[in-house]
Amino acid sequence: MEFGFTTAAYVVAAVLFILSLGGLSGQESAKRAVWYGIVGMGLAVFATLIGPGSGLWLLSLLLIAGGGAIGVYVAQRVQMTEMPQLVAAMHSLVGLAAVFVGFNAHFEIKNVAEVMAIVDSAKDADLSDLGAFAKLIAKKTGAELAILHVELFLGVFIGAITFTGSVVAYGKLAGKVTSAATKLPGGHMLNAGAAALSFICLIWYTSSGGFFPLFLMTLAALFIGYHLIMGIGGADMPVVVSMLNSYSGWAAAAIGFSLGNDLLIVVGALVGSSGAILSYIMCKAMNRHFVSVILGGFGGPQGEQMAVEGEQIAIEADGVAAALNDADSVIIIPGYGMAVAQAQQSVSELVRKLRAAGKNVRFAIHPVAGRLPGHMNVLLAEAKVPYDIVMEMDEINDDFPETDVAIVIGSNDIVNPAAQDDPNSPIAGMPVLECWKAKQVFVSKRGQGTGYSGIENPLFFKENTRMFYGDAKASLDKLLPMIE
Amino acid sequence: MKIGTPKEIFDGEARVAMTPDSARQLQKLGYDCAIESGAGAAAGFSDATYEEAGVEVLKTAAALWKASDIIAKVRQPDATELKRLTKDKTLISFFNPAGNEEGMEAAKSKGANVIAMEMVPRISRAQKMDALSSMANIAGYRAVIEAGNNFGRFFTGQVTAAGKVPPAKVLVVGAGVAGLAAIGTSTSLGAITLAFDVRPEVAEQVESMGAEFVYLDFEDEQQDGAATGGYASVQSDEFREAQLAKFRELAPEVDIVITTALIPNREAPELWTKDMVEMMKPGSVIVDLAAEKGGNCKLTVADKKIVTDNGVTIIGYTDFPSRMAAQSSTLYATNIRHMMTDLTPEKDGQINHDMEDDVIRGATVTHQGEITFPPPPPKVQAIAVQKKPEVKELTPEEKRAKEAAEFKAQTKSQVTLLAVGGVLTLLVGLIAPASFMQHFIVFVLAVFVGFQVIWGVAHSLHTPLMAVTNAISSIIILGALMQIGSGSFLVILLAGLSVFMAGINIFGGFLVTRRMLAMFQKS
C-alpha cells in the first residue's frame, strides 16, 4: 500500500522533471519549469520519507534542512560571474554522494549475506530490523546479485570520477588551480592504467564480493577524475562542466539500478543525456571532437602557423567614443574577460546609452564564450540587458558587413580569423564570429598577449582593428561619460 | 579560280567587298582576283592601288561577272545581277535570305551557290567572318558621331573660365555589338552613358564598357540569351510595360538616345514612343539604328534626319557603315577573305564547298540547284550558356525528390541505429535476469526522452539548464534515504553525509536557477 503510493509519486515526479527540462526551451516557460522541478523533487523526497526511507526520518529531515540552509545561503550569496565554479562544486557533491551510496549498498549486501547465513529460511521475520533496501536485496537471486555488483561498481566508479573531476574543475574555474593543461609524466598512459586497474577490480569484485577491490577501484577512479580534468585547458571548460554534469547523471542512474529505484534511473538518465547533448553542442561550436577535448589540451599545431604581420594599434577612450557616437549599428562580443572584470554592468550601461541615442545595438554570443554553456547570457541578463538583443552566432554572423562598429570585450579565440584563414591553426575550422567584417573593430583587452589557448590572433593586427587596452570595466567606465 | 568584285549598284553604297590588302591575301590562297573599274573609288581605293596589288581591273560589270567564278560583293544582288549568275558560280554577299524568296529562287534556277554573309553562325570560330558584327560595330560608333554632329553641346562635362558645362547623358538601348560600340564611343567622349538590354546577362559587359546598366523592377524568368543564339527575342507584355515605364522615367533627363534593338526577321520593336520624344529636351538627338526595319521610334523616317516640333532631332540613316566606307570595306573584305580561307582548306585556289562544316553550311542559302535555307541549328552552342545563379531555385519536383532522398537517408541511419541498439538490448536480455530488464527499459526510455527534450532548450538557457539538472541530479538523495534506516553505524554515517550533501544541492541548485531566470527580461 505504502509502496504503491511511493511508486505513484515517483511517476508524477518523473513527469514533472521531464516537463521541467522541456520547459527550458523559452525564457518565459523556463520560470514555470523550475517550479515543476521543485515540486517534483519535493514529492519524490516526501514519498521516499514516508515509504521505503522511513527509518530515522527525523534525522533525514534534519540533515536535509541543514544542507538546505547551506544551499540557500550559497545560492543567494554567489556572484553571477562565479556561476561556473558553483555548478562545478555542486557536481562534486553529487559525485561524492553517489560514491557513498554505492559503498552503503555494498555494506548492505554484506549485512544481508551475514543475516541470511544465520537464519536460512524464515526471512521476513528476521529481516524486519534491517532497512527497506536490505529487504530488497534479500529477495535477489545469485545472477541478480552479480548484476547488482556491476551496477554498484559502475555507480561508484562514475561517481568518483565526477567528484575529483568537479573539484579540479572548480579549482580551475575559481582560479585556485592553474587553468593551463597540465599532465603528470606518463600522460594518458596513467589514465589508461588506472582504467585497466579498475576493470581488473571489477572482475575481482564480482567474483569475490569483497570491499578491497571496490575501494581500490575508487582510488583509481578518483585519480582518473583528477588527472583527466587537470589535462584540459581553461578554454575547454564549457565542455568539461557539461560533461561532468552528464557524469553525475549517469552515476545516479547506475546507483538507481543497484537500488532498484526507477525514479533514480529516470532522472539520472535525463541528466546524463542532457549533459551529453550540451557537451556535443559545445564541441560542435568549437569544431572539435569530444574525444580530443577529453584527452586534453589542444593538439600541437600540424604545421607552420601563419606569421602575423603588422602591429597592434592602440586607441584611447575618446577615439572609441567618437566612433560609437558616429555609428548607427553596433555589435558587442563579450567573452570570459568581461566576466573576469565584472564589466557586465558597465556594458549594460553602455548599451542603454547607445540605444537611447537610437542606435541598433546587439550582442553576438559564441556558443563557447565564457566557461560554462550559456555563461554570457546569464551575465548579461544579470546586468538587465534585454534578451531579445542578445543573438546567437548563427543569427548574427551575416550582419557584420553592415555593422559600423564591433566591440570585442574580453574574448579572443572565438573572434580569431585564423580559424578560417590558416589551416595550420590549432583552431582551424572552428566557427568564429566574423567581427573583422565590420567597418571598425575595437578590442578591449588587458594587454598584448594570447588567449587561453595561446594562439596569436590576427584580428588584433587588422587594419580596421583598434586595441583598447586596459581592464574591461575600467575602460568602459572611462568611455561611458563620453557617449552622448 | 577567279574572285571578282563588282561595283555596288545600290544607290549611295560606298563600300566594296575587296580591298588591295584582302586581294593580296586571297592570292596567297591561290585565287586570281578581279575588280570592276571604279568599284573601290567611293571607299578610297583607286584602280591603281588594286592593280598594284595584282588585281585585274575589268571595265564593265558584265565582263567581271563573266570572268569570275566567285563573286564577292556587299549588298544583296538585284535582279540584273542575279541574272548574271550561272551554274557553278559562287556568290558571297549579304543576301537577306529570309526576305528574299525571289532571289533564292533565281539563284536556284541558275544553279549557283550563294553564301549569305548575314547567315554566318554566331560561334566563336566564325567570329572572323561575322560581317554583321563588324558592320554593327561601325554603325554603333558612327551613331554616336552622328548624334554628336547634331547635338549642340559637349559630350563631356567641363568647368571652364567661361562657365560650367554639364556632361551629356546618353542612353543606349540594346547592348548588342552596335550598342556596345556606341557605349564605348560615348563613354570615351566623356558622356554619362546609360544602357539597357532585355538580356540581364549583358549587364556585366555594359558595365565593363564604362556605362551604367539600367535595371528594371521586373520579377520574371528572364530569357537566357544563349538559347536564341545571342540575339534578343520577343518579350512578354508585362516586361514591355516595365521597360517603357523605365524609359519614360529617363526620357526627360537624357540628351541622346541611341536605339539598336533589332529582333531577327521581325519589324523593329517600338521602344521609344511618341510621348517619350515629346518629353525630351529641345536639342536632344535620337539615333535609330533600327530605321531599316521600321525603327525603334515610330517617328523615325528611314534614311532621313528629321526635327520634331519640340526640337528633337531624329536620325534614321540606314547606311552608317557606308558612311565610313574605308573602314567598313576593310573589315568586310577581311570577313570575306576569312570566309574564302575556310572554303579553301587546301590553299589551292579551288573552292571546297563543305556542307558538313557548321559555318559554311549555315551561311549557304543555295547549293547546286537547291535552296538550303534555313540551315539546321549549329552543332556547337552559340555562346557560353548564361551562368546559373549559385543557389538554384529548386522546382517543386526536385524539392520533393531531395526531401525524399533526405528522408530515406535519415530513415536508413535511424533504422541502422535502432537495429544495432535492438540487437545489443536483446543480447543483454539473454544473460540478464528479468528484474534487471525491467529497470533497463525504464533507463532506455528515459535516455530517449532526455535526448528529445534537451534539443529544444534555448541556447541562452544552457546555464540555467545545467543548474536545474544539477539540482535534480541530487535525486541521489533517495538512495541515501532508503539506506539511512539501516542498522550499521557506518552505513548511517555515509548515508547521512549523502543526504546532507544532496540537501545542499537541491536547495542551492533550484534557488540559483530561479535567480538566473528571474533576470532574463525582454526589452
Side-chain angles (χ1 to χ4, degrees), chain A residues 20-36:
Chain A
S20 166
L21 293 184
L24 287 168
S25 53
Q27 269 90 350
E28 295 309 316
S29 60
K31 290 169 187 169
R32 186 175 61 215
V34 180
W35 278 111
Y36 288 153

Side-chain angles (χ1 to χ4, degrees), chain B residues 221-267:
Chain B
E221 204 172 300
Q222 304 250 325
Q223 199 173 13
D224 185 346
T228 51
Y231 288 103
S233 59
V234 186
Q235 301 296 321
S236 71
D237 284 347
E238 297 86 49
F239 184 87
R240 215 182 103 81
E241 279 314 309
Q243 184 181 325
L244 293 183
K246 190 77 196 177
F247 288 164
R248 271 189 197 103
E249 192 185 315
L250 291 172
E253 15 174 323
V254 295
D255 301 304
I256 294 171
V257 177
I258 296 169
T259 64
T260 70
L262 276 173
I263 299 174
N265 308 323
R266 277 173 164 271
E267 197 182 331

Side-chain angles (χ1 to χ4, degrees), chain A residues 221-417:
Chain A
L222 288 174
F223 172 75
I224 294 177
Y226 162 80
H227 193 228
L228 199 63
I229 308 303
M230 276 307 280
I232 299 178
D236 284 334
M237 274 305 152
V239 182
V240 170
V241 174
S242 53
M243 180 188 83
L244 290 170
N245 182 23
S246 171
Y247 284 0
S248 69
W250 299 130
I255 295 294
F257 269 112
S258 50
L259 300 186
N261 187 316
D262 281 335
L263 184 60
L264 263 177
I265 297 176
V266 168
V267 175
L270 281 179
V271 174
S273 50
S274 139
I277 290 173
L278 277 185
S279 308
Y280 173 78
I281 292 173
M282 296 299 120
C283 284
K284 216 171 161 200
M286 296 196 293
N287 190 35
R288 302 191 53 200
H289 255 285
F290 184 70
V291 176
S292 70
V293 173
I294 295 310
L295 292 185
F298 282 107
Q302 285 84 12
E304 192 64 22
Q305 282 179 54
M306 250 187 246
V308 184
E309 285 172 12
E311 57 176 332
Q312 306 187 3
I313 307 167
I315 193 168
E316 287 304 314
D318 49 351
V320 180
L324 283 175
N325 285 330
D326 289 344
D328 287 328
S329 52
V330 179
I331 295 180
I332 302 177
I333 304 158
Y336 188 52
M338 182 184 84
V340 171
Q342 300 270 356
Q344 66 269 29
Q345 296 291 352
S346 307
V347 171
S348 170
E349 179 64 16
L350 177 69
V351 170
R352 201 187 52 72
K353 275 190 146 180
L354 290 174
R355 274 164 66 95
K359 302 178 199 305
N360 180 18
V361 185
R362 287 174 299 171
F363 283 87
I365 309 289
H366 192 278
V368 294
R371 292 290 174 272
L372 193 68
H375 193 185
M376 291 301 125
N377 298 84
V378 171
L379 291 184
L380 294 175
E382 185 206 8
K384 300 205 166 17
V385 171
Y387 61 73
D388 44 2
I389 63 166
V390 181
M391 306 288 171
E392 281 177 50
M393 176 166 68
D394 296 341
E395 291 174 320
I396 205 166
N397 228 354
D398 295 337
D399 294 354
F400 279 109
E402 288 99 52
T403 302
D404 296 324
V405 174
I407 310 178
V408 177
I409 302 176
S411 46
N412 192 340
D413 292 338
I414 59 169
V415 290
N416 193 335

Side-chain angles (χ1 to χ4, degrees), chain B residues 273-429:
Chain B
T273 55
K274 193 161 177 286
D275 61 311
M276 292 177 202
V277 176
E278 279 158 7
M279 271 187 249
M280 292 176 77
K281 287 173 284 195
S284 303
V285 180
I286 298 170
V287 181
D288 195 340
L289 287 182
E292 205 170 6
K293 291 282 183 72
N296 293 132
C297 174
K298 288 301 160 210
L299 298 177
T300 305
V301 180
D303 298 315
K304 287 265 166 15
K305 178 176 98 180
I306 63 158
V307 179
T308 63
D309 294 341
N310 65 332
V312 176
T313 309
I314 302 178
I315 297 170
Y317 301 151
T318 58
D319 56 347
F320 287 105
S322 175
R323 282 164 187 263
M324 299 182 67
Q327 187 68 70
S328 50
S329 298
T330 312
L331 296 182
Y332 185 73
T334 308
N335 290 142
I336 296 272
R337 197 256 298 169
H338 282 305
M339 176 60 86
M340 288 312 301
T341 312
D342 268 31
L343 282 168
T344 324
E346 305 286 332
K347 296 192 179 18
D348 55 357
Q350 297 298 319
I351 279 192
N352 176 7
H353 206 125
D354 179 8
M355 290 299 272
E356 292 303 308
D357 184 293
D358 254 356
V359 179
I360 297 172
R361 171 65 191 90
T364 305
V365 292
T366 63
H367 186 239
Q368 294 174 350
E370 270 183 64
I371 293 180
T372 56
F373 176 87
K379 288 169 227 151
V380 188
Q381 258 298 328
I383 53 175
V385 173
Q386 182 189 354
K387 271 205 200 89
K388 292 279 177 277
E390 278 183 13
V391 186
K392 213 176 70 183
E393 192 75 23
L394 291 173
T395 64
E397 297 89 67
E398 280 174 314
K399 240 185 219 161
R400 228 170 291 140
K402 205 176 144 203
E403 272 165 18
E406 267 168 19
F407 178 77
K408 240 186 206 164
Q410 220 177 5
T411 311
K412 213 171 150 191
S413 69
Q414 236 172 40
V415 165
T416 320
L417 271 177
L418 281 177
V420 171
V423 167
L424 284 179
T425 315
L426 287 178
L427 282 179
V428 172

